[in-house]
Structures are given as structure tokens and as C-alpha cells.
Amino acid sequence: MRIGSTFNIAFRALRRNKMRSVLTALGIIIGVAAVIAMVGIGNGAKAQVEAQIASLGQNVIPISSGSTTSSGIRTGWGGAGTLKVEDAEAIRREVPGVIAVSEEVMSTTQVAAGNQNWFTRILGESADYFDLRQWPLADGAPFTPQDVRSANKVCVIGRTTATQIYGNDDPVGQILRIKNVPFIVTGVLTSKGLSVQGTDQDDVVVMPYTSAMKRVVGGTTLRNINVQVASPGDLNPAQQQIIGLLRQRHNIRTGRDDDFTVRTQQEIADAATATTAVMTILLGSIAGVSLVVGGIGIMNIMLVSVTERTREIGTRMAVGAHGRDILMQFLIEAVSLSSVGGMIGIIFGIGASKILSSYAHWPTLISVSSIAVAFLFSAAVGIFFGFYPAREAARLDPIEALRYE
């Protein structure tokens, strides 16, 4: 029998029981829609985390000071003060591929202007910090290398700090008191929103690290050193060279642990996105269960259809149809149900993702690959669960089928 005739017979059989066909396809529709929506939510969350990591700058290698223990209390990484300004200068001078270095000290304190005050985070950085972090200013200008060398009392503030202290007034050129030391605000940073850890990146005051050391934080050691290399290919070589250089400078013998931590931005991104990747797989797997349930529904209905159409099958075999023709007919019916359901489910899944993004404000990202996988999986479900009923129909004895009441 020609394949065209087989398709016509299969579609005619589906049209005879429209309601049953629609209800059978509904399981596939819901399954595909759920897969696309759930994977879209997972991909959206992953993309949001990756964007937040990218906001830290491109090709950045963060170096953290080691930990220390005092009276049995461990401070954690950054507490030992094992990094020095000379270490940063050595990295800038001796490691190939380095294009920017920012020495970093950190603190939290109360800042004030007029009759307003605010508890915020203080960052002492080099003049390279704003380019390294890809953080342009919304107003004003950044401090200069000369400000860093002279430890001038200047600073740049984040949008949240500017709003809390100055309200709607322009902060540029005004005085900000930090530990009763007057600093001149030279600029306001563009808004970056929340970090990967959920902290407000805009609630910050950035000043020359020399000024922070002398006038705010105290001490002569660094908490971190942020290094930027020219290209992603330079990350791993530069990381190894920095480790070797710092071990040499800190007189760390072979077999002893480092008193610092050197990570690449890719390592940070991998760690941050690991949870979202697991969540995406989990959501997709749960939604995939509904596709399997939909496939079982197809198998059930097709078995019922074989039973109802036993005499029809016998008649077709009696007039010359082969078992493979019967097999193909019922297989086409099953695949048609799952494929049409898959296409409708794709539309519903995309629509559900858009609704979640608009009204629930969940980040969603629909990829072409997830749509293709969902559709192919739905077609595969039709083949897998439709094959057994089709084979049962093809194996019917024509004589017995004609006698069936």
C-alpha cells in the first residue's frame, strides 16, 4: 500500500474520534509546555547569574588574602592580611598579559553629609578599578592615579549611597564625612543592582586604596588584589604565574599551603551557576515525567482503538493489506497525536514563560535547543508508546479478526 494512502486512513481514523484524539494529545501538550517553561525558568536563572558574574569585569583574576587564627577563632579568607602593595606591584610588573591591577582594602562604616547619615561599605581601590570592573560613572569623574599616589581625600559613590545621603541633590563636588574625615565626591557610579550573593552593589563608597589605608581602614596590608588579563586564553597561564610569584615572595616552601587564594572568573562563574544547572535539570526532569504519562495515555488509547477496529483490520487484511501496512497506519496515528500535541505544547510553553516573566518577574530564557529537544522527545514518545499497539494490530489473524464481534 502506498504511504500516502496509509496517512489518509490514519488521519481519517483520528478525525472520527475528535474528542478522544484531543484528550489523548492533551497529555503531550501539557508535558511539552511544562518542559519548555521549566527549562526556560532554569536557563533564565542561569543567565541572570552569568550576567552578574560578568558585571565583575572581563578576564578578571581575584586574589584573596589568607586566613588567620587568634585564640582559636579563625577569621576566614581575607583576614590574615598576607597581601601587600608590593605584591600587586610585582604582579603588574612581572606577569605577562596583565593589563590592569587594583589593590583592594575593604571596610564598613558610617558616612554622613549635612544631617543625613548611612552605614555603607567602603572600598579602597586603584584608579584601574572602574575599567577593570567595567563600571562607568553616571555623573562626575573617577579619581586619578595621582589621587592614589597622593592619598587624596576624594571618593566615588554608588547610586544607593547617593540617594540615601543626598536625596535628589547632585552629590558631585559635595563633602562626604567618613569617620569624620571630609572626602570630596567626584562622581556617582551607574546602577548595577544586586550581586550574586544578593548584596546591593550600589551601596558603596570607592576611594583610593592609599586614602582608605591612611584615613579610614588603617593598616598596610591588602584584603584582595584584582588582576585583569588581556584575553580569556591568558587566564590560566596568568593564574599559575601569579601563584608561583606570590609563593616566591612569601617564602612558601614546597609542600606548604598557600597563604592566599587565586581564582579565575571562570571558576567563580562555574561555582555560581552549578546550583542553577542542577535546578534546570531537576525542573526539566519533573516536567519530562508528564511527557511519559502522556505517552502512556497514547498507548492506552491506541490499544482501545485496536480492539474497537478489529473487524476493520481483518477486512483490510482480507483485501490485501500486509501486516506492515497495519503497523504503519497505527504508528502514524500515534506519532501524529504526539507531534501535533508537541507543536501545540511548544506554543503554550512559550506563552507560559512570557506570562511568568511579565507577571511573576521570573527571569526566563527560551532556547531553540530546548524547543527542538521537547518536540523530538514528544515524537519519540509517540513512536515508543505507539509501537506496541501498532504491532498488536499488525499481528492479528485476519480470520479471527473478521469473526470478532
Side-chain angles (χ1 to χ4, degrees):
M1 181 180 291
R2 292 180 303 173
I3 190 68
S5 300
T6 305
F7 271 98
N8 289 333
I9 294 172
F11 289 138
R12 189 163 58 244
L14 292 175
R15 288 195 298 269
R16 276 203 305 265
N17 299 283
K18 293 184 178 67
M19 181 58 68
R20 187 168 71 183
S21 299
V22 170
L23 293 176
T24 303
L26 189 60
I28 299 296
I29 293 172
I30 294 173
V32 171
V35 167
I36 290 177
M38 294 300 99
V39 172
I41 291 172
N43 287 339
K46 182 179 179 182
Q48 187 178 48
V49 172
E50 289 175 343
Q52 291 173 341
I53 294 295
S55 71
L56 299 176
Q58 295 295 324
N59 308 322
V60 175
I61 302 175
I63 307 168
S64 300
S65 181
S67 64
T68 186
T69 303
S70 177
S71 301
I73 299 174
R74 303 179 68 189
T75 61
W77 292 112
T82 55
L83 297 176
K84 300 183 182 301
V85 175
E86 292 77 13
D87 292 331
E89 293 173 349
I91 292 171
R92 189 183 281 114
R93 184 176 58 250
E94 300 180 26
V95 178
V98 170
I99 59 175
V101 176
S102 182
E103 299 86 340
E104 183 173 272
V105 295
M106 301 175 65
S107 181
T108 54
T109 190
Q110 205 80 15
V111 300
N115 61 353
Q116 299 296 323
N117 65 88
W118 184 248
F119 189 81
T120 188
R121 186 164 50 105
I122 307 296
L123 288 182
E125 303 285 350
S126 77
D128 290 336
Y129 175 76
F130 306 103
D131 291 333
L132 186 148
R133 284 285 306 273
Q134 296 183 342
W135 203 346
L137 270 65
D139 194 15
F143 50 80
T144 65
Q146 179 58 43
D147 291 323
V148 176
R149 286 191 294 270
S150 303
N152 290 336
K153 294 180 285 186
V154 293
C155 66
V156 173
I157 62 177
R159 178 59 65 185
T160 299
T161 306
T163 302
Q164 295 297 330
I165 294 293
Y166 299 102
N168 295 324
D169 295 338
D170 184 6
V172 177
Q174 298 199 43
I175 299 296
L176 181 68
R177 297 193 306 277
I178 306 173
K179 287 193 172 180
N180 291 322
V181 178
F183 281 76
I184 298 176
V185 178
T186 64
V188 179
L189 294 162
T190 56
S191 179
K192 276 205 172 187
L194 297 179
S195 68
V196 177
Q197 294 80 20
T199 58
D200 186 358
Q201 297 182 86
D202 303 317
D203 190 2
V204 67
V205 174
V206 185
M207 63 179 64
Y209 73 89
T210 49
S211 305
M213 284 178 169
K214 291 182 179 180
R215 310 179 192 281
V216 179
V217 180
T220 58
T221 60
L222 302 173
R223 183 181 181 90
N224 303 302
I225 300 174
N226 296 308
V227 177
Q228 185 179 36
V229 294
S231 67
D234 293 329
L235 282 171
N236 289 331
Q239 181 187 29
Q240 297 306 314
Q241 290 171 2
I242 290 170
I243 291 173
L245 176 62
L246 292 180
R247 285 182 66 88
Q248 180 185 358
R249 291 184 56 83
H250 295 185
N251 297 316
I252 300 174
R253 295 191 299 271
T254 303
R256 300 292 298 274
D257 292 335
D258 297 336
D259 60 359
F260 55 87
T261 301
V262 182
R263 296 183 294 173
T264 65
Q265 194 172 16
Q266 187 59 48
E267 291 173 345
I268 298 173
D270 291 343
T273 57
T275 301
T276 57
V278 171
M279 182 183 72
T280 302
I281 295 172
L282 180 62
L283 291 175
S285 300
I286 293 173
V289 171
S290 60
L291 265 178
V292 175
V293 173
I296 294 172
I298 288 178
M299 177 184 283
N300 181 47
I301 292 301
M302 295 307 297
L303 286 172
V304 171
S305 180
V306 170
T307 303
E308 289 178 346
R309 295 157 61 188
T310 300
R311 286 182 62 84
E312 174 192 331
I313 294 169
T315 303
R316 290 192 59 207
M317 287 183 169
V319 296
H322 297 89
R324 64 176 178 274
D325 299 321
I326 304 300
L327 174 70
M328 184 63 67
Q329 175 190 340
F330 280 87
L331 200 56
I332 288 172
E333 290 181 25
V335 174
S336 298
L337 282 172
S338 62
S339 298
V340 172
M343 288 186 287
I344 297 174
I346 288 171
I347 297 172
F348 283 2
I350 294 174
S353 298
K354 299 295 183 184
I355 292 172
L356 287 171
S357 180
S358 299
Y359 292 97
H361 304 292
W362 290 358
T364 58
L365 179 62
I366 303 299
S367 63
V368 176
S369 60
S370 65
I371 293 176
V373 168
F375 178 76
L376 292 175
F377 191 64
S378 67
V381 163
I383 295 173
F384 181 81
F385 287 101
F387 181 78
Y388 176 74
R391 190 183 65 172
E392 291 298 302
R395 294 171 63 180
L396 286 175
D397 185 297
I399 304 301
E400 295 299 325
L402 287 170
R403 290 176 178 173
Y404 184 81
E405 294 295 337

